[in-house]
Amino acid sequence: MSRVGPEFPTSSSPNSLLGQKMRPPLVAARMRLPLVAVVALLAFIPESLTSWEEWWTYDGISGPSFWGLINPQWGLCSKGRRQSPVNIEAEKLLFDPRLRPLHVDKHMISGSLHNTGQSLVLRVNQDSKHHVNISGGPLDYRYQLQEGYIHYGNTDGQGSEHRVNGYQFPAEIQLYGFNAELYHNMSEAQHKSQGIVAISLMLQIRDKPNPELHVLTSSFGQVAYRGQSAPFRHLSVRALLPDTNHYMTYEGSTTHPGCWETTVWIILNKPIYITRQELYALRKLMQGSPETPKAPLGNNARPLQPLHHRTVRTNIDFFREQGKNCPKMYKDHYYRANPWSEDNRSQGRNSGDMP
């Protein structure tokens, strides 16, 4: 089922000033008006009458191809040159010996899961005494974890936004933090240089899941419809991360509007695991309300963006000695995403790690 377009406020909505004399842009689209006419109609609606954060989608007239037209402040979505997500190509990775181990605080966090109608969003309580700080790795500053996004597919063959050698994982969790040394909050940091860090966790299917992930998956049934939220408590982000010190990193953007090009991406080189039962519960989430459920929430991945000559660095050393004092770089496919199958798992090979 294709994703259904956004709901605009109606005359009965407390936030609506449209009245009944003006049809919302999506209705115009359904009337098969030319795209130019739809965009023109958008321009005539005062910004104060719309909630840009609520009605963008992942397909159709309000999908990724049109994010830059929906809101003038989102122009980078259409014109940016450092956009995310990207495909990680093994042969183009550059080993950087200056990259340090990534450090994530051990503090447990509490917060809430929200079904926004576009994604399942994790929001961390900011009034906590102990914040989870992210430092090290490619970062020059200390970043404070604030939110996360869960991207997933309605089938196993799609879901993650980033890809590894063209392989798309069933899901991807993206954890965002803001530069707490230079800026006060995410709203300020997203517009500023080195404002945001995003840690990407790829999810693969396995019978034995990540135990810490259960803190989140146990609440999926409470956020089945748009606008619903559910609290979570005592989540250890450190324990959620896979058991690896290896990662890839590049300069990019947020993958949701307004596609801010102030994001340092850190893609960990090993997935975490989710069961089929947990993934099934995730796929039952809907875009709309209980009265109008619309389409499933899944398939919420922005299309791949071109690298435009950006460098993707890694802290895995490709160098091998070839005789005395003659190191060379070998283009081993350290990040080749092995196909997942029960036969491979039973043989102890190709477990879905990268690698």
Side-chain angles (χ1 to χ4, degrees):
M1 182 182 297
S2 62
R3 296 179 67 89
V4 179
E7 291 181 343
F8 268 72
T10 64
S11 58
S12 60
S13 171
N15 297 321
S16 174
L17 298 175
L18 294 176
Q20 299 182 1
K21 294 183 179 180
M22 180 180 291
R23 292 180 181 269
L26 196 67
V27 173
R30 289 177 180 147
M31 294 172 64
R32 300 184 182 278
L33 289 180
L35 176 58
V36 173
V38 176
V39 174
L41 181 56
L42 279 169
F44 278 102
I45 301 178
E47 186 172 342
S48 59
L49 303 188
T50 58
S51 181
W52 306 116
E53 295 299 328
E54 293 181 1
W55 69 269
W56 60 271
T57 66
Y58 281 94
D59 66 3
I61 197 65
S62 51
S65 297
F66 302 99
W67 289 350
L69 299 176
I70 291 172
N71 184 347
Q73 296 183 7
W74 297 350
L76 286 172
C77 297
S78 299
K79 302 177 182 178
R81 302 280 294 178
R82 294 188 300 161
Q83 290 291 294
S84 300
V86 300
N87 179 40
I88 305 296
E89 299 180 63
E91 64 273 12
K92 295 182 180 179
L93 290 170
L94 178 66
F95 168 67
D96 187 345
R98 298 168 299 177
L99 291 175
R100 300 164 294 166
L102 182 68
H103 178 78
V104 178
D105 285 350
K106 295 181 178 180
H107 307 309
M108 291 191 173
I109 59 172
S110 298
S112 54
L113 283 175
H114 296 262
N115 181 335
T116 66
Q118 300 106 354
S119 297
L120 189 58
V121 179
L122 178 157
R123 292 174 182 155
V124 179
N125 288 343
Q126 296 301 303
D127 55 358
S128 173
K129 294 181 180 179
H130 300 289
H131 299 294
V132 171
N133 294 309
I134 304 166
S135 58
L139 306 174
D140 295 324
Y141 299 94
R142 172 178 52 83
Y143 291 73
Q144 181 178 313
L145 180 67
Q146 179 159 316
E147 60 187 12
Y149 290 75
I150 302 179
H151 300 272
Y152 62 97
N154 291 326
T155 60
D156 293 351
Q158 59 182 329
S160 66
E161 291 199 305
H162 288 89
R163 303 186 190 187
V164 179
N165 277 356
Y167 180 84
Q168 195 170 16
F169 287 80
E172 177 181 352
I173 296 177
Q174 299 171 353
L175 303 174
Y176 284 89
F178 69 92
N179 188 328
E181 292 191 50
L182 299 182
Y183 312 116
H184 296 92
N185 50 49
M186 182 70 78
S187 297
E188 178 187 6
Q190 65 189 8
H191 300 282
K192 306 291 187 178
S193 175
Q194 300 188 67
I196 303 173
V197 65
I199 300 177
S200 172
L201 309 178
M202 300 298 185
L203 272 67
Q204 188 59 280
I205 301 170
R206 179 180 275 183
D207 293 338
K208 185 178 180 181
N210 181 304
E212 205 65 30
L213 186 60
H214 185 70
V215 176
L216 301 177
T217 60
S218 61
S219 299
F220 285 170
Q222 303 176 53
V223 290
Y225 300 100
R226 181 186 185 124
Q228 293 183 336
S229 61
F232 67 84
R233 293 176 58 83
H234 308 305
L235 172 68
S236 171
V237 176
R238 179 81 167 269
L240 182 65
L241 303 182
D243 182 21
T244 182
N245 292 320
H246 296 144
Y247 59 84
M248 301 152 281
T249 182
Y250 74 99
E251 303 292 326
S253 73
T254 59
T255 62
H256 52 272
C259 309
W260 314 113
E261 293 185 337
T262 55
T263 307
V264 178
W265 277 95
I266 300 172
I267 303 171
L268 299 184
N269 190 46
K270 186 177 181 181
I272 62 174
Y273 296 97
I274 187 171
T275 66
R276 290 196 176 276
Q277 291 77 13
E278 291 172 327
L279 199 53
Y280 175 76
L282 189 59
R283 289 169 176 166
K284 290 178 66 177
L285 308 188
M286 306 300 291
Q287 294 180 39
S289 65
E291 296 75 22
T292 312
K294 298 185 180 180
L297 189 66
N299 294 344
N300 57 342
R302 187 189 188 195
L304 291 175
Q305 304 296 305
L307 268 176
H308 290 305
H309 306 292
R310 282 175 289 172
T311 298
V312 181
R313 297 179 295 156
T314 178
N315 65 341
I316 291 184
D317 190 352
F318 290 92
F319 286 94
R320 297 291 186 271
E321 286 192 4
Q322 295 291 307
K324 289 186 178 181
N325 302 320
C326 186
K328 292 187 177 180
M329 179 175 288
Y330 281 82
K331 295 181 179 179
D332 296 339
H333 285 234
Y334 283 91
Y335 303 91
R336 178 171 54 87
N338 299 322
W340 173 262
S341 72
E342 290 298 325
D343 291 340
N344 287 336
R345 186 171 70 85
S346 64
Q347 296 174 17
R349 302 196 310 269
N350 297 340
S351 65
D353 293 357
M354 304 184 285

